[in-house]
Amino acid sequence: MAECSDILLVQADQRCDHAPGLAEALAAQGLSLARSDEPFVTPDVPSRTRAVVVTDLIAPRCLRALREATSIGARTALLLDGLTEARNTFDNPRAPESFLRPAPVDLVLAGGLSDVRVLRAMGNDAVATGLPRVDAAFPEPLPLPDGPRVLVATANTPAFDAGGRSALLQALVELREAAEWARVPLLWRLTDGLDDALGVTSDRRSLREVLASVSAVVTTPSTLMLESMRAGRPTAVLHASSSPLWHAAAWVWQPVEGRSEGPASAIPGPPSGLQRWVDAPDRLLRQLARPTAEQLRRQDESLRWLDASAEGTPSADLVADALRCLLDRPASDEPRPVPRVERLPKPVPRAEGRTRVVSIVTFDDTPLGGVTSASQRLGRAFVEDPSHGFDHRTLLVAWDSPNAHKAERLLDAQTDLCVVDRTEPMHRILEHVRRAVERLEPEILIPNHGDPAWMVAQQLRFTGVRCVGSGLTDDGYYREMLLHREWDGAIAGSEAIAAWLQPLAGDRPFATVIRGVPSSPIPRPVPMQGPLELAYVGRVVQPQKRVMDLVPLARELSRRGVQARLHIVGEGAALPALRRALASEPMAGVEVVFHGWLTEDEVLAFYEGIDASVLMSDAEGTCMSILGAMAFGVVPAMTRTESGVAAYVEDGVSGLLADVGDPVGMAERLAWLAQDRARIAAIGAEAHRRVTSVRTIEQLAAETAALLREVMGRPLGNSTSNSRPSAAGLTPLEPWRWADGATPDAEDEAAWARSWLEEAGCRSVGIGAFEAGDDAVFVPAGCCVPEGVPGGVTVVRSDTGDCRDELIPHARRLLLRGCSRIAVFGAGPHTQRRRGAFDDPSIPIVGVIDDDPPATGMLFGLPVVPVDRAIAELRPDGVILSSDNWESVLWDRTAPLRAAGVHVARIYTEDVIGDASAQAEARPVALSEA
């Protein structure tokens, strides 16, 4: 919980500290600062807070903090995290409508007069303060290296559409060619896979190290303009867009024609004479290699226009001055409304004569994956053959709203999108998802996975909507969902899944449906020379997919001398960690190419050039990427999982198999494959034959339709007329996913629970107490279950989903072993959502261990240090491993600590306490995303 201070600073995430030195600058003015930097913790705004400062207007946690500030009459401010750029303001699909036009705050703290002019033109009250993070990083110019060398860099999001990306890539090609002709060496720092597309290697050192090694910079419009100027580097802007350029630069190269018209063009640009345009890349590079005194003078003037702190006053002091003045203002009678991130689909009436089926797919980082693809293919198949009698829609539910824009490319005539605000209490999120589902008027719901989908499906069963469960992979998650929820029929994704799901079904309709995939009429032709072309296609995540196993796989292929190219197609939470790990060490002979998100048609064309599709998962159902690859004659290389694909893969005949968690074994099988190009063709041809001879999309549609007809032909098994109420629609199975802490409106939550229980058939609902005749009791947050509640009465606890205290029992076990200085290993969401031990004064937590610490170096006010510095800086005698997906890796990393006598507590294994008697090889791995 945030301490009660004058000002609360809320950052969107921990990747960057946007306010170094601000606490000290405010203290000098007699003001106190509290911070909320943890991205997986809902910020709390104490009632006596005088001002709330946010660093982002897209992150739900920042918007929530602004709403709470408005409700208590506190002032609000936006501390910009960079320069205001036209494309990011008007074209960014992540940004809300009318982004910054104006911002929903009392004051915007901008970099310089250039941004102030732009922001005021958009209706904001803005003041120039500089950017504290840039000021702290580059307080003075860096020494120049010997000889000319130019850094070419792109913004974090270099383009917002395919056309913009193509134009930028072409400009980079021209720049590279010009550098070769002009004999100017280049250093690259490209983003979003542009380095792979260009065939260059990006320098991943810290920005300060990179700038210290170059004499000049060419960058797309971004805050790097300011950072490189502050570092004393001649800085040019590569503007591969027709949008306006709002900021001054002594060199601008715009390799596209014309200027766009529209709202952005009405915003004032820099003063006349500051911006100078260069007409050719070779001339640009020559001027940067040997800038004139006049050009450097113009850059100095541009810098003063961009950065108010360039004159010598620290940016933190300028921000503190602006906030002091803001607090002295009278409160606004009409504060600007803060936008909400929620979104509902448009109502879609049912198709006449056909049963409406809605398949719900929730997603965090990306909507891509086999579940989405299979659901959309089924919808298209029912449209193409209406005789099945079903109208099937896919509802994508964006659980992490800043990633909702990624679903836009998937929306079509049968696909809709719902966006939720995960900072809201659980009951409000469920209300929102339920409204989204009801707009589609379903008669059958397929919840697929995730608490929001399943809980809404449970609620709607009491209104007559049937629920069809599905086992998508052979792991405990789906067993738990299907065991503790109620449903009217079920689909197993493979024979292995059917083995445990069919007994749960009992006499309810049940079917095993193997997904169908598009296929080529003949296997792909295999060239008789060239490197082994490998591909991972799917969600880039560690849970289930184990994508980090691709790192030792590539390393072992290199050690064995295999010439290979590993293609990574997809996106997900582990993508940054995977990029870093694969780039951290040289692997001779193995090239890695990141392609990002490809459409379904692009993936099908991509398979034509791939020899083997690699999958390292620990559990699967019917993996769409492997089946799809086989359907084109690509060799499947997968782990031995009980899945729907395993039935088609015979090691050495129709594919390659290795044990789960054995990337060295997989590398051995791939090395064997690489020895003989004819072998690749033969195994690929057999894979193609086995898949295309038995599975088609038409079969998928026919088998699914048969099950759905059976479900509709039976009486609803749990309606208000024939079944007692159930709490399944109110009780989450994944409490850690929901907003932490009690709902701000307990009466609203209690009314919602009463309404739902009455809809489910309860005649009398007690709130916080039980009386004779009650057939359900709702227990508010912080209250105990009333005594004397008889069996058979439904008991529902508050929907807070609060798992904050889950680390406490493990900490107490360490205390019983005599520990007095406890550290928590892992700074990611697992720890942030279980922060109760940090709030408990009886538990002596001295810090956090993580190999990728937050930019602030702090978590909940405690230091975060890498494991190799933990003993020296934290001096722990006990450590809790706070991660589920990465626990085994953390255990390996703590071998030196255990050797030093530190007790280590594991949460998810039976051997919960380890010491020096259990040793393992230690290897650095970044774990903040665990």
Side-chain angles (χ1 to χ4, degrees):
M1 179 178 295
E3 60 187 273
C4 187
S5 299
D6 295 300
I7 296 171
L8 174 64
L9 173 69
V10 181
Q11 294 201 149
D13 55 46
Q14 296 170 303
R15 292 173 296 178
C16 181
D17 181 9
H18 295 291
L22 182 57
E24 294 79 5
L26 287 168
Q29 302 219 23
L31 297 172
S32 56
L33 177 72
R35 301 184 60 139
S36 176
D37 299 325
E38 296 80 17
F40 299 98
V41 176
T42 301
D44 175 47
V45 181
S47 59
R48 287 182 290 172
T49 301
R50 300 176 64 190
V52 170
V53 181
V54 299
T55 62
D56 188 278
L57 292 179
I58 298 175
R61 67 190 315 271
C62 290
L63 294 175
R64 182 178 182 86
L66 291 178
R67 286 195 294 272
E68 291 194 17
T70 300
S71 71
I72 63 173
R75 306 294 190 275
T76 58
L78 167 65
L79 176 59
L80 283 177
D81 61 355
L83 299 181
T84 308
E85 201 256 316
R87 293 180 315 113
N88 190 59
T89 302
F90 287 89
D91 301 333
N92 187 350
R94 294 180 70 245
E97 188 176 356
S98 298
F99 179 58
L100 291 177
R101 308 190 295 281
V105 294
D106 299 318
L107 182 66
V108 181
L109 308 170
L113 292 176
S114 177
D115 273 342
V116 167
R117 281 181 24 142
V118 168
L119 291 161
R120 288 178 178 172
M122 293 191 290
N124 296 281
D125 185 1
V127 61
T129 61
L131 304 180
R133 68 176 179 92
V134 176
D135 195 26
F138 300 99
E140 57 187 26
L142 301 175
L144 283 167
D146 295 331
R149 193 182 193 192
V150 177
L151 170 67
V152 181
T154 52
N156 288 332
T157 304
F160 293 117
D161 55 41
R165 181 184 175 86
S166 177
L168 177 55
L169 185 59
Q170 178 57 38
L172 293 171
V173 170
E174 293 181 34
L175 195 62
R176 181 179 59 183
E177 293 173 349
E180 293 172 356
W181 183 84
R183 297 183 180 180
V184 176
L186 300 181
L187 188 67
W188 302 91
R189 191 180 178 89
L190 306 183
T191 53
D192 197 30
L194 286 169
D195 43 5
D196 293 325
L198 192 62
V200 299
T201 300
S202 285
D203 193 320
R204 299 300 180 190
R205 291 176 296 167
S206 71
L207 179 59
R208 186 177 180 86
E209 290 177 300
V210 172
L211 289 177
S213 66
V214 299
S215 59
V217 173
V218 177
T219 177
T220 58
S222 73
T223 309
L224 181 56
M225 294 168 55
L226 178 56
E227 292 164 320
S228 59
M229 290 183 194
R230 287 292 300 260
R233 300 299 183 257
T235 302
V237 176
L238 165 56
H239 191 44
S241 167
S242 60
S243 63
L245 183 61
W246 289 340
H247 295 105
W251 296 269
V252 179
W253 177 45
Q254 186 176 26
V256 296
E257 295 294 332
R259 301 284 191 274
S260 64
E261 299 295 331
S265 62
I267 305 297
S272 175
L274 273 187
Q275 221 165 56
R276 293 298 174 90
W277 302 79
V278 183
D279 60 359
D282 55 329
R283 184 175 291 107
L284 174 72
L285 292 172
R286 285 197 299 271
Q287 291 183 15
L288 289 174
R290 288 175 291 277
T292 66
E294 170 61 22
Q295 289 168 332
L296 293 176
R297 185 200 61 75
R298 192 182 307 118
Q299 173 157 301
D300 288 341
E301 190 175 346
S302 297
L303 176 58
R304 288 191 293 272
W305 189 252
L306 293 173
D307 182 6
S309 63
E311 297 284 0
T313 303
S315 178
D317 289 348
L318 294 174
V319 171
D321 289 342
L323 292 176
R324 171 79 267 176
C325 293
L326 177 63
L327 292 178
D328 291 339
R329 292 185 192 178
S332 172
D333 294 333
E334 295 184 8
R336 289 172 174 167
V338 181
R340 291 190 173 271
V341 299
E342 298 161 324
R343 167 174 165 176
L344 292 169
K346 295 179 180 179
V348 182
R350 297 172 183 168
E352 186 176 353
R354 289 193 283 165
T355 300
R356 167 66 58 79
V357 182
V358 174
S359 172
I360 308 176
V361 182
T362 60
F363 69 93
D364 289 294
D365 297 291
T366 173
L368 296 176
V371 180
T372 303
S373 297
S375 181
Q376 290 188 301
R377 287 172 182 167
L378 183 61
R380 290 193 291 267
F382 283 159
V383 169
E384 292 169 3
D385 187 355
S387 67
H388 289 302
F390 292 96
D391 171 17
H392 181 283
R393 303 194 67 82
T394 299
L395 176 63
L396 301 174
V397 177
W399 185 245
D400 189 7
S401 54
N403 290 318
H405 73 283
K406 297 178 181 179
E408 296 290 344
R409 290 170 59 186
L410 296 174
L411 302 185
D412 55 28
Q414 282 78 47
T415 307
D416 304 279
L417 176 63
C418 167
V419 181
V420 303
D421 181 350
R422 69 182 307 166
T423 70
E424 289 284 358
M426 186 183 77
H427 71 280
R428 291 181 181 168
I429 293 177
L430 291 177
E431 281 184 325
H432 188 76
V433 176
R434 177 167 173 168
R435 287 198 300 272
V437 172
E438 289 177 329
R439 286 188 171 200
L440 303 180
E441 300 185 9
E443 295 166 89
I444 298 176
L445 275 179
I446 303 177
N448 286 303
H449 54 76
D451 266 343
W454 269 102
M455 294 171 73
V456 166
Q458 302 301 277
Q459 295 173 17
L460 291 179
R461 291 186 78 242
F462 289 95
T463 69
V465 178
R466 289 163 171 79
C467 174
V468 174
S470 56
L472 301 178
T473 64
D474 187 35
D475 63 18
Y477 170 84
Y478 290 100
R479 300 188 196 204
E480 286 294 305
M481 281 289 176
L482 289 159
L483 182 63
H484 295 289
R485 301 305 189 195
E486 296 169 354
W487 35 274
D488 305 288
I491 300 172
S494 72
E495 296 295 343
I497 296 170
W500 58 261
L501 179 50
Q502 189 161 17
L504 293 179
D507 63 351
R508 288 175 287 190
F510 172 84
T512 302
V513 178
I514 308 299
R515 301 168 182 169
V517 293
S519 62
S520 63
I522 59 173
R524 59 175 287 271
V526 177
M528 288 298 104
Q529 59 184 1
L532 185 66
E533 301 285 352
L534 306 174
Y536 171 81
V537 180
R539 293 178 297 118
V540 187
V541 296
Q542 180 65 11
Q544 182 200 347
K545 297 297 185 180
R546 296 181 65 102
V547 294
M548 298 306 292
D549 282 3
L550 295 172
V551 179
L553 169 68
R555 186 187 305 120
E556 181 64 17
L557 288 173
S558 175
R559 192 189 70 79
R560 291 172 176 268
V562 177
Q563 299 294 309
R565 187 179 290 115
L566 174 59
H567 303 265
I568 311 294
V569 177
E571 57 181 28
L575 183 58
L578 182 61
R579 276 184 177 273
R580 287 195 301 268
L582 286 169
S584 64
E585 56 185 285
M587 294 185 228
V590 177
E591 179 185 357
V592 181
V593 182
F594 289 88
H595 295 270
W597 174 356
L598 299 182
T599 66
E600 182 174 309
D601 289 342
E602 289 170 338
V603 170
L604 298 182
F606 170 79
Y607 282 141
E608 293 290 340
I610 297 301
D611 296 320
S613 182
V614 181
L615 190 71
M616 308 298 293
S617 303
D618 57 18
E620 281 293 345
T622 304
C623 179
M624 298 289 288
S625 66
I626 288 290
L627 271 185
M630 294 173 70
F632 280 77
V634 176
V635 175
M638 60 181 294
T639 45
R640 291 185 174 91
T641 61
E642 295 292 337
S643 74
V645 179
Y648 304 106
V649 180
E650 183 180 352
D651 190 36
V653 179
S654 60
L656 305 178
L657 294 173
D659 292 334
V660 174
D662 184 15
V664 173
M666 179 64 79
E668 179 182 357
R669 301 301 294 134
L670 290 169
W672 172 79
L673 184 71
Q675 292 171 1
D676 187 348
R677 304 292 298 183
R679 183 181 293 157
I680 298 173
I683 296 177
E686 178 60 16
H688 177 270
R689 186 194 68 79
R690 292 192 180 194
V691 169
T692 57
S693 62
V694 294
R695 297 310 306 162
T696 65
I697 295 176
E698 290 72 23
Q699 286 175 284
L700 166 70
E703 293 169 0
T704 304
L707 173 71
L708 298 178
R709 280 193 291 270
E710 188 176 357
V711 168
M712 289 300 295
R714 292 195 175 199
L716 190 63
N718 189 26
S719 67
T720 56
S721 61
N722 61 12
S723 177
R724 74 178 185 85
S726 164
L730 297 176
T731 307
L733 293 181
E734 304 171 289
W736 57 271
R737 279 188 167 271
W738 303 90
D740 55 304
T743 173
D745 190 343
E747 292 185 4
D748 179 57
E749 179 191 21
W752 170 80
R754 183 196 296 274
S755 173
W756 190 88
L757 288 166
E758 289 174 349
E759 180 182 66
C762 292
R763 296 179 299 275
S764 176
V765 179
I767 303 297
F770 172 77
E771 297 182 1
D774 287 345
D775 44 13
V777 175
F778 174 74
V779 184
C783 299
C784 299
V785 176
E787 295 183 1
V789 178
V793 172
T794 299
V795 177
V796 179
R797 300 185 67 90
S798 170
D799 74 7
T800 60
D802 192 358
C803 59
R804 293 196 310 170
D805 297 339
E806 289 183 0
L807 296 183
I808 290 179
H810 304 283
R812 298 208 181 284
R813 296 188 68 174
L814 288 173
L815 292 177
L816 291 174
R817 293 180 68 95
C819 296
S820 60
R821 296 182 62 85
I822 297 174
V824 176
F825 197 162
H830 190 279
T831 297
Q832 293 180 33
R833 290 169 175 149
R834 295 163 174 82
R835 71 183 193 276
F838 293 83
D839 299 331
D840 190 330
S842 69
I843 297 177
I845 295 182
V846 296
V848 179
I849 303 170
D850 199 287
D851 287 318
D852 188 15
T856 61
M858 305 291 285
L859 186 77
F860 301 129
L862 294 172
V864 184
V865 301
V867 68
D868 57 2
R869 290 163 36 196
I871 291 180
E873 298 186 27
L874 301 180
R875 297 182 290 111
D877 50 18
V879 172
I880 303 173
L881 304 185
S882 179
S883 178
D884 46 3
N885 301 313
W886 300 80
E887 187 178 76
S888 62
V889 179
L890 271 62
W891 176 258
D892 291 347
R893 295 287 287 124
T894 56
L897 277 68
R898 287 180 273 124
V902 177
H903 296 297
V904 178
R906 289 187 285 185
I907 298 175
Y908 298 102
T909 57
E910 293 183 6
D911 176 24
V912 295
I913 303 289
D915 52 28
S917 62
Q919 298 297 316
E921 179 185 358
R923 180 170 58 85
V925 176
L927 298 163
S928 289
E929 295 168 44

